[in-house]
């Protein structure tokens, strides 16, 4: 049953979250999203995380904000960290649990429902916070960034990956729609009923704006850079998806 109201008004944050949870990231789309792992380069992401979290001892708990179906959680757990994955969608988390179980890593991860804009975590305890591709889905990303800084322990590191949607040519759009049909089993236009209505309510920050907010929130050594296809999802996925997305990496450390 759709929760999409028939209105053209810019949606409020609470409404966006309901639609995100019940429509955009529900059980059907969790399953579809999970199938994209077939196209992702696990090695590329593993190398990137190993580099960014170098020096953090095995067994350290890493908080992953918006952990989705657990692609990154699985890499972190496989690298010896304990993972606390938090996500708004119980359906995404259910897939994450079964992925970690299948990988024999369930003992290294726990997953809880929560809101990135109001983290259910104490001040100053997290040794590392990781988040990939969550910020763009939030109505108030500034709050989420402030929350990530709040929960970091002194000396703790933030590894944030987000990105920007890029305009796509007609051919690229057709190719991406075909890939979505084959990989995820969705027909073109699946976004229309509900999800496209959210767009005006999502600020979708670029990397310099994220850097400014994190610095204001007290993070030190904040820097950003674009990720190449090789160090993120791999050139194949990037081509198949029509290059409609450019990921960036922002990192920083909470001062001691
Ligand atoms: C594009 S997916 C990324 C999932 C995962 N981080 C990954 O890299 O595969 C976006 C995720 O953000 C989650 N999300 C959306 N709004 C959220 C919120 N307010 N708090 C926490 N998670 C949220 C969605 O449920 C979804 O799992």
């Amino acid at each position: 049953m759709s929760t999409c109201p028939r209105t053209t008004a810019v949606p409020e944050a609470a409404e966006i979250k309901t639609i995100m949870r019940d429509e955009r990231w529900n059980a059907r789309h969790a399953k579809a999203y999970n199938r994209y792992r077939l196209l992702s380069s696990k090695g590329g992401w593993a190398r990137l995380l190993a580099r960014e979290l170098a020096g953090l001892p095995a067994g350290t708990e890493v908080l992953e904000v918006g952990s989705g179906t657990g692609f990154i959680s699985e890499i972190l757990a496989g690298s010896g960290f304990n993972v606390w994955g938090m996500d708004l969608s119980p359906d995404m988390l259910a897939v994450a649990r079964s992925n970690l179980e299948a990988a024999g890593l369930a003992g290294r991860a726990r997953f809880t429902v929560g809101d990135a804009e109001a983290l259910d975590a104490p001040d100053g305890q997290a040794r590392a916070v990781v988040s990939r591709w969550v910020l763009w889905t939030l109505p108030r990303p500034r709050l989420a960034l402030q929350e990530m800084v709040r929960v970091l322990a002194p000396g703790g590191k933030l590894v944030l990956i987000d990105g920007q949607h890029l305009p796509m040519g007609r051919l690229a759009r057709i190719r991406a729609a075909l890939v979505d049909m084959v990989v995820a089993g969705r027909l073109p236009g699946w976004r229309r009923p509900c999800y496209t209505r959210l767009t005006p309510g999502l600020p979708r920050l670029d990397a310099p704006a994220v850097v400014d907010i994190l610095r204001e929130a007290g993070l030190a050594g904040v820097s950003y850079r674009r990720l190449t296809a090789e160090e993120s999802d791999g050139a194949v996925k990037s081509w198949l998806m029509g290059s409609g997305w450019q990921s960036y990496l922002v990192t920083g450390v909470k001062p001691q």
Side-chain angles (χ1 to χ4, degrees):
M1 169 80 175
S2 173
T3 52
C4 264
R6 289 180 184 282
T7 161
T8 53
V10 175
E12 298 285 331
E15 187 195 335
I16 289 178
K17 288 180 195 177
T18 303
I19 295 173
M20 284 289 182
R21 188 191 61 216
D22 299 343
E23 301 279 338
R24 181 62 183 88
W25 307 106
N26 62 16
R28 172 172 170 246
H29 291 299
K31 207 169 147 198
Y33 184 82
N34 193 46
R35 293 180 73 184
Y36 275 104
R37 66 172 43 220
L38 299 171
L39 297 180
S40 292
S41 159
K42 205 170 167 188
W45 289 109
R47 280 189 293 278
L48 184 140
L49 289 167
R51 200 171 50 238
E52 295 304 331
L53 297 175
L56 206 62
T60 303
E61 183 173 84
V62 177
L63 170 62
E64 189 187 355
V65 176
S67 50
T69 52
F71 182 82
I72 294 293
S73 308
E74 192 177 318
I75 293 172
L76 291 169
S79 310
F81 297 118
N82 291 325
V83 183
W84 174 14
M86 187 280 305
D87 199 283
L88 189 68
S89 160
D91 293 330
M92 294 292 271
L93 292 180
V95 177
R97 283 190 196 97
S98 92
N99 282 336
L100 274 277
E101 183 82 50
L105 293 166
R108 287 207 168 274
R110 64 185 170 111
F111 294 101
T112 59
V113 173
D115 184 354
E117 295 180 354
L119 290 175
D120 186 14
D123 292 359
Q125 301 284 309
R127 301 280 305 279
V129 173
V130 172
S131 186
R132 183 184 78 155
W133 299 340
V134 178
L135 215 59
W136 68 274
T137 71
L138 303 176
R140 293 171 303 189
R142 170 182 288 272
L143 286 185
L145 293 168
Q146 290 167 340
E147 280 290 86
M148 290 176 201
V149 177
R150 175 184 69 77
V151 304
L152 273 175
K157 179 150 188 194
L158 175 66
V159 180
L160 179 91
I161 296 130
D162 205 61
Q164 296 271 221
H165 287 94
L166 305 175
M168 285 159 82
R170 193 152 176 257
L171 269 181
R173 282 205 310 275
I174 293 170
R175 190 164 64 227
L178 283 173
V179 172
D180 200 56
M181 268 198 280
V182 173
V183 175
R186 295 185 286 215
L187 292 174
W190 62 267
R191 288 182 181 84
R192 236 173 272 138
C194 202
Y195 181 58
T196 42
R197 205 180 89 64
L198 301 186
T199 308
L202 303 176
R204 295 187 177 176
L205 303 177
D206 60 16
V210 170
V211 168
D212 285 348
I213 293 167
L214 289 172
R215 284 186 182 141
E216 270 169 37
L219 207 65
V222 187
S223 66
Y224 78 91
R225 66 183 176 83
R226 281 171 157 217
L227 291 179
T228 62
E230 288 67 32
E231 57 185 349
S232 54
D233 251 347
V236 175
K237 183 172 174 191
S238 168
W239 183 81
L240 284 170
M241 298 310 293
S243 307
W245 177 258
Q246 171 64 59
S247 285
Y248 59 77
L249 168 73
V250 185
T251 58
V253 175
K254 181 103 164 248
Q256 295 280 352

